[in-house]
Amino acid sequence: VFDLMALKNGEVIIVEGCLDSIKLDEIGISNSVAIFGTSLSSTQKSIILGNATSVIIVFDNDAAGIVAQNVVTNSLKNYVD
């Protein structure tokens, strides 16, 4: 997980890549983490769930990103808002 410090405020935005997280930080959105792709590993899930109370998933608006967003949303929906 890239930018673990972003997990400090309870709400986290999950993005695909480091540059996505950096760009959000540049415009003042400092609570994003990158998962290095479109799949959420069990380790990443544990880290995020251990620190976040709500999650926003923002993946690329391409076919892979849309499918992955649904998969990740379903894997987290029973744990966070």
Side-chain angles (χ1 to χ4, degrees):
V1 176
F2 175 79
D3 200 6
L4 289 174
M5 294 301 297
L7 293 170
K8 64 183 177 239
N9 75 354
E11 179 180 77
V12 66
I13 300 168
I14 300 175
V15 296
E16 291 181 40
C18 298
L19 289 178
D20 299 321
S21 183
I22 291 167
K23 289 293 185 184
L24 287 173
D25 198 51
E26 286 177 353
I27 62 169
I29 301 170
S30 60
N31 60 327
S32 67
V33 296
I35 60 169
F36 302 99
T38 57
S39 62
L40 186 66
S41 72
S42 59
T43 301
Q44 291 169 324
K45 185 176 176 180
S46 294
I47 291 168
I48 292 168
L49 291 176
N51 293 281
T53 56
S54 69
V55 173
I56 299 168
I57 302 165
V58 182
F59 287 168
D60 294 346
N61 193 25
D62 57 15
I66 292 167
V67 169
Q69 184 167 333
N70 290 329
V71 170
V72 172
T73 298
N74 286 333
S75 75
L76 295 175
K77 71 180 178 182
N78 293 324
Y79 301 100
V80 293
D81 294 335

